Coordinates of all heavy atoms in Angstrom, one line a residue:
M1 N -126.0 -50.3 70.6 CA -126.4 -51.6 71.1 C -125.7 -52.7 70.3 O -125.3 -53.7 70.8 CB -127.9 -51.7 71.0 CG -128.4 -53.0 71.5 SD -130.2 -52.9 71.6 CE -130.6 -54.6 71.5
F2 N -125.7 -52.5 68.9 CA -125.1 -53.6 68.1 C -123.7 -53.3 67.7 O -123.1 -54.0 66.9 CB -126.0 -53.7 66.8 CG -127.4 -54.2 67.1 CD1 -128.4 -53.3 66.9 CD2 -127.6 -55.5 67.4 CE1 -129.7 -53.8 67.2 CE2 -128.8 -55.9 67.7 CZ -129.9 -55.1 67.6
R3 N -123.1 -52.3 68.3 CA -121.7 -52.0 68.0 C -120.8 -52.9 69.0 O -121.0 -53.0 70.2 CB -121.4 -50.6 68.2 CG -122.0 -49.7 67.2 CD -121.6 -48.3 67.4 NE -121.8 -47.6 66.1 CZ -121.1 -46.7 65.6 NH1 -120.1 -46.3 66.3 NH2 -121.3 -46.1 64.5
P4 N -119.7 -53.5 68.4 CA -118.8 -54.2 69.3 C -118.0 -53.3 70.2 O -117.7 -52.2 69.8 CB -117.9 -55.0 68.3 CG -117.9 -54.1 67.1 CD -119.3 -53.5 67.0
K5 N -117.7 -53.8 71.4 CA -116.9 -53.1 72.3 C -115.5 -53.6 72.2 O -115.2 -54.7 72.4 CB -117.4 -53.3 73.7 CG -118.8 -52.7 73.9 CD -119.3 -52.9 75.3 CE -120.7 -52.3 75.5 NZ -121.2 -52.5 76.9
L6 N -114.6 -52.6 71.8 CA -113.2 -53.0 71.6 C -112.5 -52.7 72.9 O -112.7 -51.7 73.6 CB -112.6 -52.1 70.5 CG -113.3 -52.3 69.1 CD1 -112.7 -51.3 68.1 CD2 -113.1 -53.7 68.6
P7 N -111.6 -53.6 73.2 CA -110.8 -53.4 74.5 C -109.8 -52.3 74.3 O -109.3 -52.1 73.2 CB -110.1 -54.8 74.7 CG -110.0 -55.4 73.4 CD -111.2 -54.9 72.6
N8 N -109.5 -51.7 75.4 CA -108.5 -50.6 75.3 C -107.1 -51.2 75.4 O -106.9 -52.2 76.2 CB -108.7 -49.7 76.5 CG -110.0 -48.9 76.5 OD1 -110.5 -48.6 75.4 ND2 -110.5 -48.5 77.6
M9 N -106.2 -50.7 74.5 CA -104.9 -51.3 74.5 C -104.1 -50.7 75.6 O -104.1 -49.5 75.8 CB -104.2 -50.9 73.2 CG -104.8 -51.6 72.0 SD -104.8 -53.4 72.0 CE -103.0 -53.6 71.8
P10 N -103.4 -51.5 76.4 CA -102.7 -50.9 77.6 C -101.4 -50.2 77.0 O -100.8 -50.7 76.1 CB -102.3 -52.2 78.4 CG -102.3 -53.3 77.4 CD -103.4 -53.0 76.4
Q11 N -101.1 -49.1 77.7 CA -99.9 -48.4 77.3 C -98.7 -48.9 78.0 O -98.8 -49.4 79.1 CB -100.1 -46.9 77.6 CG -101.3 -46.3 76.9 CD -101.1 -46.2 75.4 OE1 -100.0 -46.0 74.9 NE2 -102.1 -46.4 74.6
P12 N -97.5 -48.9 77.4 CA -96.3 -49.4 78.1 C -96.0 -48.4 79.2 O -96.2 -47.2 79.2 CB -95.2 -49.3 77.0 CG -95.7 -48.5 75.9 CD -97.2 -48.5 76.0
T13 N -95.5 -49.1 80.3 CA -95.3 -48.3 81.5 C -93.8 -47.8 81.6 O -93.5 -46.9 82.3 CB -95.6 -49.1 82.8 OG1 -94.8 -50.3 82.7 CG2 -97.0 -49.5 82.8
S14 N -92.9 -48.5 80.9 CA -91.5 -48.0 80.9 C -90.9 -48.2 79.5 O -91.5 -48.8 78.6 CB -90.7 -48.9 81.9 OG -90.7 -50.2 81.5
I15 N -89.7 -47.7 79.4 CA -89.0 -47.8 78.1 C -88.4 -49.2 78.0 O -87.7 -49.7 78.9 CB -87.9 -46.8 78.0 CG1 -88.6 -45.4 78.1 CG2 -87.1 -46.9 76.7 CD1 -87.5 -44.2 78.1
V16 N -88.7 -49.9 76.9 CA -88.2 -51.2 76.7 C -87.0 -51.1 75.8 O -87.0 -50.6 74.7 CB -89.3 -52.1 76.0 CG1 -88.8 -53.5 75.7 CG2 -90.6 -52.1 76.8
T17 N -85.9 -51.7 76.3 CA -84.6 -51.7 75.5 C -84.4 -53.1 74.9 O -84.7 -54.1 75.5 CB -83.4 -51.4 76.4 OG1 -83.4 -52.3 77.5 CG2 -83.6 -50.0 77.0
P18 N -84.0 -53.1 73.7 CA -83.7 -54.4 73.0 C -82.5 -55.1 73.7 O -81.6 -54.4 74.2 CB -83.4 -54.1 71.6 CG -83.0 -52.7 71.6 CD -83.7 -52.0 72.8
P19 N -82.4 -56.4 73.6 CA -81.3 -57.1 74.2 C -80.0 -56.8 73.4 O -80.0 -56.5 72.2 CB -81.6 -58.6 74.1 CG -82.6 -58.6 73.0 CD -83.4 -57.3 73.0
V20 N -78.9 -56.7 74.1 CA -77.6 -56.4 73.5 C -77.0 -57.7 73.0 O -76.8 -58.7 73.7 CB -76.7 -55.7 74.6 CG1 -75.3 -55.4 74.0 CG2 -77.3 -54.5 75.1
V21 N -76.6 -57.7 71.7 CA -75.9 -58.8 71.1 C -74.4 -58.5 71.0 O -74.1 -57.5 70.2 CB -76.5 -59.2 69.8 CG1 -75.8 -60.3 69.1 CG2 -78.0 -59.5 70.0
E22 N -73.6 -59.2 71.6 CA -72.1 -59.0 71.5 C -71.5 -59.8 70.4 O -71.8 -61.0 70.2 CB -71.4 -59.3 72.8 CG -71.9 -58.4 74.0 CD -71.2 -58.8 75.3 OE1 -70.3 -59.6 75.2 OE2 -71.6 -58.2 76.3
P23 N -70.7 -59.2 69.5 CA -70.1 -59.9 68.4 C -69.0 -60.9 69.0 O -68.4 -60.7 70.0 CB -69.4 -58.8 67.6 CG -69.2 -57.7 68.5 CD -70.3 -57.8 69.5
T24 N -68.9 -62.0 68.3 CA -67.9 -63.0 68.7 C -66.7 -62.9 67.7 O -66.8 -62.4 66.6 CB -68.4 -64.4 68.6 OG1 -68.9 -64.6 67.2 CG2 -69.6 -64.6 69.5
T25 N -65.5 -63.2 68.2 CA -64.3 -63.1 67.4 C -64.1 -64.5 66.8 O -64.2 -65.5 67.4 CB -63.1 -62.7 68.3 OG1 -63.0 -63.7 69.3 CG2 -63.4 -61.4 68.9
I26 N -63.7 -64.5 65.5 CA -63.3 -65.7 64.8 C -61.9 -65.7 64.5 O -61.4 -64.7 63.8 CB -64.2 -65.8 63.5 CG1 -65.6 -65.8 63.8 CG2 -63.7 -67.0 62.7 CD1 -66.5 -65.8 62.6
T27 N -61.1 -66.7 64.9 CA -59.7 -66.7 64.6 C -59.5 -67.7 63.5 O -59.9 -68.9 63.6 CB -58.9 -67.2 65.9 OG1 -59.5 -68.5 66.3 CG2 -59.1 -66.2 67.0
P28 N -58.9 -67.2 62.4 CA -58.7 -68.1 61.2 C -57.6 -69.2 61.5 O -56.7 -68.9 62.3 CB -58.3 -67.2 60.1 CG -57.8 -66.0 60.8 CD -58.5 -65.9 62.1
G29 N -57.8 -70.3 60.9 CA -56.7 -71.3 61.0 C -57.0 -72.4 62.0 O -56.4 -73.4 62.0
T30 N -57.9 -72.2 62.9 CA -58.2 -73.2 63.9 C -59.5 -73.9 63.5 O -60.5 -73.3 63.2 CB -58.4 -72.5 65.3 OG1 -59.5 -71.6 65.2 CG2 -57.2 -71.8 65.8
S31 N -59.4 -75.2 63.4 CA -60.5 -76.0 63.1 C -60.8 -77.0 64.1 O -59.8 -77.5 64.8 CB -60.3 -76.7 61.7 OG -59.2 -77.6 61.8
T32 N -62.0 -77.4 64.3 CA -62.3 -78.4 65.2 C -62.4 -79.8 64.5 O -62.8 -79.8 63.4 CB -63.7 -78.1 65.9 OG1 -64.7 -78.1 64.8 CG2 -63.7 -76.8 66.6
P33 N -61.9 -80.8 65.2 CA -62.0 -82.1 64.5 C -63.4 -82.6 64.3 O -64.3 -82.3 65.2 CB -61.2 -83.1 65.4 CG -61.3 -82.4 66.8 CD -61.4 -80.9 66.5
P34 N -63.8 -83.3 63.2 CA -65.2 -83.7 63.1 C -65.5 -84.8 64.1 O -64.7 -85.6 64.5 CB -65.1 -84.3 61.6 CG -63.7 -84.7 61.4 CD -62.9 -83.7 62.1
A35 N -66.8 -84.7 64.5 CA -67.2 -85.7 65.5 C -67.4 -87.1 64.9 O -67.8 -87.2 63.8 CB -68.6 -85.2 66.1
T36 N -66.9 -88.1 65.6 CA -67.0 -89.4 65.1 C -68.4 -90.0 65.5 O -68.8 -89.8 66.6 CB -65.9 -90.3 65.7 OG1 -66.0 -90.3 67.1 CG2 -64.5 -89.8 65.3
V37 N -69.0 -90.7 64.6 CA -70.3 -91.3 64.8 C -70.0 -92.7 65.3 O -69.3 -93.5 64.6 CB -71.1 -91.3 63.5 CG1 -72.4 -92.0 63.7 CG2 -71.3 -89.9 63.0
P38 N -70.6 -93.1 66.5 CA -70.4 -94.4 67.0 C -71.1 -95.4 66.1 O -72.2 -95.2 65.5 CB -70.9 -94.4 68.4 CG -71.9 -93.3 68.4 CD -71.4 -92.3 67.4
A39 N -70.6 -96.6 66.0 CA -71.2 -97.7 65.2 C -72.4 -98.2 65.9 O -72.5 -98.2 67.1 CB -70.2 -98.8 65.1
P40 N -73.5 -98.5 65.1 CA -74.7 -98.9 65.7 C -74.5 -100.3 66.5 O -73.7 -101.1 66.0 CB -75.7 -99.1 64.5 CG -74.8 -99.3 63.4 CD -73.5 -98.5 63.7
T41 N -75.2 -100.4 67.6 CA -75.0 -101.6 68.4 C -76.2 -102.6 68.2 O -76.4 -103.4 69.0 CB -74.9 -101.2 69.9 OG1 -76.1 -100.5 70.2 CG2 -73.7 -100.3 70.1
R42 N -76.9 -102.4 67.1 CA -78.1 -103.3 66.9 C -77.5 -104.6 66.4 O -76.6 -104.7 65.6 CB -79.0 -102.7 65.8 CG -79.7 -101.5 66.3 CD -80.6 -101.0 65.2 NE -79.8 -100.6 64.0 CZ -80.4 -100.3 62.9 NH1 -81.7 -100.2 62.7 NH2 -79.6 -100.0 61.8
P43 N -78.2 -105.7 66.8 CA -77.7 -107.0 66.3 C -78.2 -107.2 64.8 O -79.2 -106.7 64.4 CB -78.4 -108.0 67.2 CG -79.6 -107.3 67.7 CD -79.2 -105.8 67.8
T44 N -77.4 -107.9 64.1 CA -77.7 -108.1 62.7 C -78.8 -109.2 62.6 O -78.7 -110.2 63.4 CB -76.5 -108.5 61.8 OG1 -75.9 -109.6 62.4 CG2 -75.5 -107.3 61.8
V45 N -79.7 -109.1 61.7 CA -80.7 -110.1 61.5 C -80.2 -111.1 60.5 O -79.9 -110.8 59.4 CB -82.1 -109.5 61.0 CG1 -83.1 -110.5 60.8 CG2 -82.5 -108.5 62.1
Q46 N -80.2 -112.4 60.9 CA -79.8 -113.4 60.0 C -81.0 -114.2 59.5 O -81.8 -114.7 60.4 CB -78.8 -114.3 60.6 CG -77.5 -113.6 61.0 CD -76.5 -114.5 61.6 OE1 -76.8 -115.7 61.9 NE2 -75.3 -114.0 61.9
L47 N -81.2 -114.3 58.2 CA -82.3 -115.0 57.7 C -82.0 -116.4 57.4 O -81.3 -116.7 56.4 CB -82.8 -114.2 56.4 CG -84.2 -114.6 55.9 CD1 -85.2 -114.2 57.0 CD2 -84.5 -113.8 54.7
T48 N -82.5 -117.3 58.2 CA -82.2 -118.8 58.0 C -83.3 -119.3 57.1 O -84.4 -118.7 57.0 CB -82.1 -119.5 59.3 OG1 -83.4 -119.3 60.0 CG2 -81.0 -118.9 60.2
P49 N -83.2 -120.5 56.6 CA -84.3 -121.1 55.8 C -85.5 -121.3 56.6 O -86.6 -121.1 56.1 CB -83.7 -122.4 55.3 CG -82.2 -122.2 55.3 CD -81.9 -121.3 56.4
G50 N -85.4 -121.6 57.9 CA -86.6 -121.8 58.7 C -87.4 -120.5 58.9 O -88.6 -120.4 58.9
T51 N -86.6 -119.4 59.2 CA -87.3 -118.1 59.3 C -87.9 -117.6 58.0 O -89.0 -117.0 58.0 CB -86.4 -117.0 59.9 OG1 -85.2 -116.9 59.1 CG2 -86.0 -117.4 61.3
A52 N -87.2 -117.9 56.9 CA -87.8 -117.5 55.6 C -89.1 -118.2 55.3 O -90.0 -117.6 54.9 CB -86.8 -117.7 54.5
L53 N -89.1 -119.5 55.7 CA -90.3 -120.3 55.5 C -91.4 -119.8 56.4 O -92.6 -119.7 55.9 CB -90.0 -121.8 55.8 CG -91.1 -122.8 55.4 CD1 -91.4 -122.7 53.9 CD2 -90.7 -124.2 55.9
A54 N -91.1 -119.4 57.6 CA -92.1 -118.9 58.5 C -92.7 -117.6 58.0 O -93.9 -117.3 58.1 CB -91.5 -118.7 59.9
L55 N -91.8 -116.7 57.5 CA -92.3 -115.4 56.9 C -93.2 -115.6 55.7 O -94.2 -115.0 55.6 CB -91.1 -114.5 56.5 CG -90.3 -113.9 57.7 CD1 -89.1 -113.2 57.1 CD2 -91.2 -113.0 58.4
V56 N -92.8 -116.5 54.8 CA -93.6 -116.8 53.7 C -95.0 -117.4 54.1 O -96.0 -117.0 53.6 CB -92.9 -117.8 52.7 CG1 -93.8 -118.3 51.6 CG2 -91.7 -117.0 52.1
G57 N -94.9 -118.3 55.1 CA -96.2 -118.9 55.5 C -97.1 -117.9 56.2 O -98.3 -117.9 56.0
G58 N -96.5 -117.0 57.0 CA -97.3 -116.0 57.7 C -97.9 -115.0 56.7 O -99.1 -114.6 56.8
G59 N -97.1 -114.6 55.7 CA -97.6 -113.7 54.6 C -98.8 -114.3 53.8 O -99.8 -113.7 53.5
T60 N -98.6 -115.6 53.5 CA -99.7 -116.3 52.8 C -100.9 -116.4 53.6 O -102.0 -116.2 53.1 CB -99.2 -117.8 52.4 OG1 -98.0 -117.7 51.7 CG2 -100.2 -118.5 51.6
A61 N -100.8 -116.7 54.9 CA -102.0 -116.7 55.8 C -102.7 -115.4 55.9 O -103.9 -115.3 55.8 CB -101.6 -117.2 57.2
V62 N -101.9 -114.3 55.9 CA -102.5 -113.0 56.0 C -103.3 -112.7 54.7 O -104.4 -112.2 54.7 CB -101.5 -111.9 56.3 CG1 -102.0 -110.5 56.0 CG2 -100.9 -112.0 57.7
V63 N -102.7 -113.0 53.6 CA -103.3 -112.8 52.3 C -104.6 -113.6 52.1 O -105.6 -113.1 51.7 CB -102.3 -113.1 51.1 CG1 -103.1 -113.1 49.8 CG2 -101.2 -112.0 51.1
L64 N -104.6 -114.8 52.6 CA -105.8 -115.7 52.5 C -106.9 -115.2 53.4 O -108.1 -115.2 53.0 CB -105.4 -117.1 52.8 CG -104.6 -117.9 51.8 CD1 -104.2 -119.3 52.3 CD2 -105.3 -117.9 50.5
V65 N -106.5 -114.8 54.6 CA -107.6 -114.3 55.5 C -108.2 -113.0 55.0 O -109.4 -112.8 55.0 CB -107.0 -114.1 56.9 CG1 -107.9 -113.3 57.8 CG2 -106.6 -115.4 57.5
V66 N -107.3 -112.0 54.5 CA -107.9 -110.8 54.0 C -108.7 -111.0 52.8 O -109.8 -110.4 52.6 CB -106.7 -109.8 53.7 CG1 -107.2 -108.6 52.9 CG2 -106.1 -109.4 55.0
G67 N -108.3 -111.9 51.9 CA -109.1 -112.3 50.7 C -110.4 -112.9 51.1 O -111.4 -112.6 50.5
A68 N -110.4 -113.8 52.1 CA -111.7 -114.4 52.5 C -112.7 -113.4 53.1 O -113.9 -113.4 52.8 CB -111.4 -115.5 53.5
V69 N -112.1 -112.4 53.8 CA -113.0 -111.4 54.4 C -113.6 -110.5 53.3 O -114.8 -110.2 53.3 CB -112.2 -110.5 55.4 CG1 -112.9 -109.3 55.8 CG2 -111.9 -111.3 56.6
L70 N -112.7 -110.1 52.3 CA -113.2 -109.3 51.2 C -114.3 -110.0 50.4 O -115.3 -109.4 49.9 CB -112.1 -108.8 50.4 CG -111.1 -107.8 51.1 CD1 -110.0 -107.4 50.1 CD2 -111.9 -106.5 51.5
V71 N -114.0 -111.3 50.1 CA -115.0 -112.0 49.3 C -116.3 -112.2 50.0 O -117.4 -112.1 49.4 CB -114.4 -113.4 48.9 CG1 -115.4 -114.3 48.4 CG2 -113.3 -113.2 47.9
S72 N -116.2 -112.4 51.3 CA -117.5 -112.6 52.1 C -118.2 -111.2 52.1 O -119.5 -111.2 52.1 CB -117.2 -113.1 53.5 OG -116.4 -112.1 54.2
L73 N -117.5 -110.1 52.2 CA -118.2 -108.8 52.2 C -118.9 -108.6 50.8 O -120.0 -108.1 50.8 CB -117.3 -107.7 52.5 CG -116.8 -107.6 53.9 CD1 -115.7 -106.5 54.0 CD2 -117.9 -107.2 54.8
L74 N -118.2 -109.0 49.8 CA -118.8 -108.8 48.4 C -120.0 -109.7 48.3 O -121.0 -109.3 47.7 CB -117.7 -109.1 47.4 CG -118.1 -108.9 45.9 CD1 -118.5 -107.5 45.6 CD2 -117.0 -109.4 45.0
L75 N -119.9 -110.9 48.8 CA -121.0 -111.8 48.7 C -122.2 -111.3 49.5 O -123.4 -111.4 49.1 CB -120.6 -113.2 49.2 CG -121.6 -114.3 49.1 CD1 -121.9 -114.6 47.6 CD2 -121.1 -115.6 49.7
A76 N -122.0 -110.7 50.7 CA -123.1 -110.2 51.5 C -123.8 -109.0 50.7 O -125.0 -108.9 50.7 CB -122.5 -109.7 52.8
V77 N -123.0 -108.2 50.0 CA -123.6 -107.1 49.3 C -124.4 -107.6 48.1 O -125.5 -107.2 47.8 CB -122.5 -106.1 48.8 CG1 -123.0 -105.1 47.8 CG2 -121.8 -105.4 50.0
A78 N -123.9 -108.7 47.5 CA -124.6 -109.2 46.3 C -125.9 -109.9 46.8 O -127.0 -109.7 46.1 CB -123.8 -110.3 45.6
I79 N -125.9 -110.6 47.9 CA -127.1 -111.2 48.4 C -128.1 -110.2 48.8 O -129.3 -110.3 48.6 CB -126.8 -112.2 49.6 CG1 -126.0 -113.4 49.0 CG2 -128.0 -112.6 50.3 CD1 -125.5 -114.3 50.1
T80 N -127.7 -109.1 49.5 CA -128.6 -108.0 49.9 C -129.2 -107.4 48.7 O -130.4 -107.1 48.7 CB -127.8 -107.0 50.7 OG1 -127.2 -107.7 51.8 CG2 -128.7 -105.9 51.2
G81 N -128.4 -107.1 47.6 CA -129.0 -106.5 46.4 C -130.0 -107.4 45.8 O -131.1 -106.9 45.3
A82 N -129.7 -108.7 45.7 CA -130.7 -109.6 45.1 C -132.0 -109.7 45.9 O -133.1 -109.7 45.3 CB -130.1 -111.0 45.0
S83 N -131.9 -109.7 47.2 CA -133.1 -109.8 48.0 C -133.9 -108.5 47.9 O -135.2 -108.6 47.9 CB -132.8 -110.1 49.5 OG -132.0 -109.0 50.0
V84 N -133.3 -107.4 47.8 CA -134.0 -106.1 47.6 C -134.7 -106.1 46.3 O -135.9 -105.6 46.2 CB -133.1 -104.9 47.8 CG1 -133.7 -103.6 47.3 CG2 -132.6 -104.8 49.3
A85 N -134.0 -106.6 45.3 CA -134.7 -106.7 43.9 C -135.9 -107.6 44.0 O -136.9 -107.3 43.4 CB -133.6 -107.2 42.9
V86 N -135.8 -108.7 44.6 CA -136.9 -109.7 44.7 C -138.1 -109.0 45.5 O -139.3 -109.1 45.1 CB -136.5 -111.0 45.4 CG1 -137.7 -111.8 45.7 CG2 -135.6 -111.8 44.4
C87 N -137.8 -108.3 46.6 CA -138.8 -107.6 47.3 C -139.5 -106.6 46.4 O -140.7 -106.4 46.5 CB -138.3 -107.0 48.6 SG -137.8 -108.2 49.8
A88 N -138.7 -105.9 45.6 CA -139.3 -104.8 44.8 C -140.2 -105.4 43.7 O -141.3 -104.9 43.5 CB -138.2 -104.0 44.1
L89 N -139.8 -106.6 43.2 CA -140.7 -107.3 42.2 C -142.0 -107.7 42.8 O -143.1 -107.6 42.2 CB -140.0 -108.4 41.6 CG -138.9 -108.1 40.6 CD1 -138.1 -109.3 40.1 CD2 -139.4 -107.3 39.4
V90 N -141.9 -108.3 44.0 CA -143.1 -108.8 44.7 C -144.1 -107.6 45.0 O -145.3 -107.7 44.8 CB -142.8 -109.5 46.0 CG1 -144.0 -109.8 46.9 CG2 -142.1 -110.8 45.6
I91 N -143.5 -106.5 45.5 CA -144.4 -105.4 45.9 C -145.0 -104.8 44.6 O -146.2 -104.4 44.6 CB -143.5 -104.3 46.6 CG1 -143.2 -104.8 48.0 CG2 -144.3 -103.0 46.7 CD1 -142.2 -103.9 48.8
R92 N -144.2 -104.7 43.5 CA -144.8 -104.2 42.3 C -145.9 -105.1 41.7 O -146.9 -104.6 41.3 CB -143.7 -104.1 41.2 CG -144.2 -103.4 39.9 CD -143.1 -103.2 39.0 NE -142.7 -104.5 38.3 CZ -141.9 -104.6 37.4 NH1 -141.2 -103.6 36.9 NH2 -141.6 -105.8 36.8
S93 N -145.7 -106.4 41.8 CA -146.8 -107.3 41.4 C -148.0 -107.2 42.3 O -149.2 -107.3 41.8 CB -146.3 -108.7 41.3 OG -146.0 -109.2 42.6
L94 N -147.8 -107.0 43.5 CA -149.0 -106.8 44.4 C -149.8 -105.6 44.1 O -151.0 -105.5 44.1 CB -148.6 -106.9 45.9 CG -148.1 -108.2 46.4 CD1 -147.6 -108.1 47.8 CD2 -149.3 -109.2 46.4
V95 N -149.0 -104.5 43.9 CA -149.7 -103.2 43.6 C -150.4 -103.3 42.2 O -151.5 -102.8 42.1 CB -148.6 -102.1 43.6 CG1 -149.2 -100.8 43.0 CG2 -148.1 -101.8 45.0
N96 N -149.8 -103.9 41.2 CA -150.5 -104.1 39.9 C -151.7 -105.0 40.0 O -152.7 -104.7 39.4 CB -149.5 -104.6 38.9 CG -148.5 -103.6 38.5 OD1 -148.7 -102.4 38.6 ND2 -147.4 -104.0 37.9
A97 N -151.6 -106.0 40.8 CA -152.8 -106.9 40.9 C -153.9 -106.2 41.6 O -155.1 -106.4 41.3 CB -152.4 -108.2 41.7
D98 N -153.6 -105.4 42.6 CA -154.6 -104.7 43.3 C -155.3 -103.6 42.4 O -156.5 -103.4 42.5 CB -154.0 -104.1 44.6 CG -155.1 -103.5 45.5 OD1 -156.1 -104.1 45.6 OD2 -154.8 -102.4 46.1
A99 N -154.5 -103.0 41.6 CA -155.0 -102.0 40.7 C -155.9 -102.6 39.6 O -156.9 -102.0 39.2 CB -153.9 -101.2 40.0
K100 N -155.6 -103.8 39.2 CA -156.5 -104.5 38.1 C -157.8 -104.9 38.7 O -158.8 -105.0 37.9 CB -155.7 -105.7 37.5 CG -154.6 -105.3 36.6 CD -153.9 -106.5 36.1 CE -152.7 -106.2 35.2 NZ -152.0 -107.3 34.7
R101 N -157.9 -105.2 40.0 CA -159.1 -105.7 40.5 C -160.2 -104.6 40.6 O -161.3 -104.8 40.6 CB -158.9 -106.3 41.9 CG -158.5 -107.7 41.9 CD -158.5 -108.3 43.3 NE -157.4 -109.2 43.4 CZ -156.6 -109.4 44.4 NH1 -156.8 -108.7 45.5 NH2 -155.7 -110.3 44.4
R102 N -159.7 -103.4 40.8 CA -160.6 -102.3 41.0 C -161.2 -101.7 39.8 O -161.1 -101.8 38.7 CB -159.9 -101.1 41.7 CG -159.6 -101.5 43.1 CD -159.0 -100.3 43.9 NE -158.7 -100.7 45.2 CZ -158.2 -100.0 46.1 NH1 -158.1 -98.7 45.9 NH2 -157.9 -100.4 47.3

């Protein structure tokens, strides 16, 4: 009942022959000319003072935005931690005051 059932392996029905590989002849002294690589047809990028200024301005804007987002996330974590600490102090004082009354 708990033994696995193994499938029966099918037996080959005919004789399988490997493919025939024919040797090639090599004639010494004949060489093929090397293939020439075509020149790239991409246009060259020219960096003018206006585009350099735009790149610097864009990079500065990205750095400022990412910095503002990271600082705001850090500030949110700090405010959350402080509010949890204040809640813990209030709850502890309420529990201690209730225990002193009894």
Side-chain angles (χ1 to χ4, degrees):
M1 180 173 155
F2 294 108
R3 292 184 157 214
K5 294 182 179 179
L6 300 173
N8 294 331
M9 295 297 292
Q11 298 296 324
T13 56
S14 64
I15 298 173
V16 178
T17 59
V20 178
V21 178
E22 296 180 6
T24 59
T25 59
I26 299 174
T27 56
T30 60
S31 63
T32 58
T36 58
V37 178
T41 59
R42 296 181 297 175
T44 57
V45 177
Q46 295 181 356
L47 197 60
T48 62
T51 56
L53 187 63
L55 286 174
V56 169
T60 304
V62 167
V63 167
L64 288 176
V65 168
V66 170
V69 168
L70 291 177
V71 167
S72 65
L73 287 173
L74 183 63
L75 186 62
V77 168
I79 290 173
T80 304
S83 64
V84 168
V86 168
C87 289
L89 288 176
V90 169
I91 290 172
R92 187 175 74 174
S93 67
L94 289 175
V95 168
N96 284 340
D98 190 36
K100 286 183 181 178
R101 277 192 214 139
R102 291 184 182 186

